[in-house]
Amino acid sequence: MDKPAGRDPALDGARALAIVLVVLTHCASTGLTGPVGTFDWWSSLVWGTLARPSVPLFFLCSGALMLCRDITPRRIFTHNLPRILCAMFAWAFLYRLYWLNEGGGLTPENLLDAAKRTLLLQHEFHFYFLHILLLVYAFLPAVRVFVRAASRRELEYLLALWFVTGILLPLLKNFWPFTLVYQIEARYQMNTAYASIGYALLGCYLRQYGHTVPRKWYALAFAAGLAFSFGGTALFSLRDGALNGMFLEGMSPGPMFMSLGLFGLILTQKRWPAPVVKVTGRLARASFCVYLSHVLFQHLLRGMGIVAGTSPCLLWIPLVCALLLAAGWLAWEVLHRIPLVRTYLV
């Protein structure tokens, strides 16, 4: 969504990186469905693991931007949420039309059914992020009250609770002895949607206090998260003979530490060359449109025989990712020049 000048180059850099990693995630996922242990599968796992901080980075950016300034419920419900809702329903219906054109045809009955399904939030798979974002935004004014009144230690205490119940417990529940106490685990575990609020709080904390942490610790956090995600996924997938993705989930320790490390490194970067600021700023502004449209372009490329999971995946995954980013960016360059479209759809 378009914003005026006076932008923060660090947050623009984080958003630009986040959208690149989102597209890379969806490209790598096509190769991860192949036979485990092949060169293409290992290549896809490398790209897929590197891409996992994608959605957490978006939530970190939202928290750093929204929670570090005064925000009222009126602003959320009259400005932010209506724009997200308009874009979500319009693009979700567009995806429905695409699938109707591919399958059942654009008959009045099918169009009515598509409209009903759109209103009932039966959307394309990647729209889960928008569904969660609505909840995160609705909570932001209340979280802002806590942030404004809390000390640093109180923020750290809440973040520690979030880490245990929203990040650590969803992974530990799969292992002994936590499998023996599933009843209390089900009551204590924070689900994905509410755990995303923790990422927003972490983003605000890092923007306020992240500069007090040496950069080497952020690099170490990223490296540890990457090793944990890659190693855990490889070990259990080889054991199961099929992809085991529990170490790749956004609400698990590996991607959390990777996103924390990347975000901390970006926030504490002291100098931003002018060409980098220009490119990342532009891509950050286009990121919402790229997110909404890239799966549609992925379907179109697949219809042309261009698939990220084609061998060799080591090359095809980044190549298709670049094509999807370029297509989504170009779509934004056109659409954001249309007044109402710029405000409510991209």
Side-chain angles (χ1 to χ4, degrees):
M1 293 182 179
D2 227 3
K3 288 187 71 66
R7 304 171 65 94
D8 185 329
L11 293 184
D12 276 348
R15 285 185 66 189
L17 177 60
I19 192 58
V20 171
L21 295 182
V22 164
V23 179
L24 184 60
T25 297
H26 294 153
C27 289
S29 64
T30 59
L32 287 171
T33 59
V36 173
T38 63
F39 178 76
D40 282 332
W41 186 85
W42 283 111
S43 300
S44 301
L45 181 59
V46 169
W47 289 119
T49 306
L50 286 170
R52 286 299 153 171
S54 52
V55 171
L57 273 176
F58 271 126
F59 287 124
L60 288 169
C61 289
S62 294
L65 180 65
M66 306 286 282
L67 290 176
C68 292
R69 65 184 187 191
D70 287 330
I71 182 168
T72 64
R74 179 171 181 172
R75 172 73 177 179
I76 292 291
F77 283 92
T78 62
H79 180 78
N80 301 95
L81 294 187
R83 294 186 176 201
I84 296 174
L85 286 168
C86 286
M88 181 180 72
F89 284 120
W91 282 88
F93 188 65
L94 179 62
Y95 277 95
R96 284 282 171 188
L97 294 181
Y98 170 81
W99 288 116
L100 285 179
N101 186 60
E102 290 290 301
L106 300 175
T107 65
E109 294 80 8
N110 286 340
L111 289 173
L112 179 60
D113 181 69
K116 290 179 179 178
R117 291 179 182 274
T118 300
L119 292 174
L120 291 173
L121 303 183
Q122 298 178 23
H123 298 166
E124 198 74 15
F125 73 93
H126 66 303
F127 276 43
Y128 82 91
F129 168 74
L130 300 180
H131 301 163
I132 294 176
L133 189 62
L134 292 171
L135 181 71
V136 172
Y137 270 47
F139 268 86
L140 285 179
V143 178
R144 172 58 184 156
V145 173
F146 172 78
V147 169
R148 191 165 50 215
S151 67
R152 178 174 181 174
R153 296 305 176 206
E154 289 168 334
L155 286 173
E156 291 169 350
Y157 173 74
L158 185 57
L159 285 171
L161 285 179
W162 162 71
F163 176 76
V164 171
T165 58
I167 302 296
L168 193 58
L169 193 54
L171 179 65
L172 291 180
K173 71 177 183 180
N174 299 293
F175 300 96
W176 186 91
F178 297 94
T179 52
L180 304 177
V181 291
Y182 63 90
Q183 288 183 328
I184 195 169
E185 167 270 315
R187 294 179 175 85
Y188 274 37
Q189 176 185 319
M190 191 182 298
N191 69 28
T192 299
Y194 288 96
S196 298
I197 301 170
Y199 273 120
L201 182 62
L202 178 60
C204 177
Y205 175 87
L206 289 174
R207 195 177 190 192
Q208 287 184 310
Y209 304 110
H211 64 279
T212 64
V213 179
R215 284 172 58 83
K216 66 179 180 181
W217 290 109
Y218 292 124
L220 181 61
F222 173 78
L226 178 64
F228 186 75
S229 296
F230 183 86
T233 303
L235 179 64
F236 283 86
S237 296
L238 291 172
R239 182 201 66 179
D240 299 342
L243 176 66
N244 186 318
M246 63 180 172
F247 289 88
L248 298 177
E249 295 292 333
M251 301 302 163
S252 62
M256 192 281 291
F257 279 110
M258 291 173 69
S259 60
L260 184 156
L262 286 175
F263 198 64
L265 288 171
I266 292 172
L267 286 183
T268 54
Q269 176 66 33
K270 294 182 178 180
R271 292 187 178 182
W272 292 89
V276 174
V277 172
K278 184 176 181 180
V279 172
T280 57
R282 200 74 179 172
L283 182 54
R285 293 171 66 192
S287 61
F288 190 53
C289 182
V290 175
Y291 186 89
L292 291 165
S293 65
H294 76 279
V295 173
L296 180 59
F297 288 120
Q298 191 174 33
H299 293 324
L300 294 173
L301 287 180
R302 185 177 290 112
M304 299 164 57
I306 302 175
V307 182
T310 303
S311 184
C313 290
L314 186 65
L315 299 178
W316 273 104
I317 287 173
L319 176 60
V320 174
C321 177
L323 290 174
L324 294 176
L325 284 167
W329 195 342
L330 180 60
W332 176 80
E333 291 288 356
V334 174
L335 294 174
H336 93 282
R337 288 174 167 80
I338 305 172
L340 287 177
V341 173
R342 176 178 65 236
T343 303
Y344 292 103
L345 298 184
V346 297

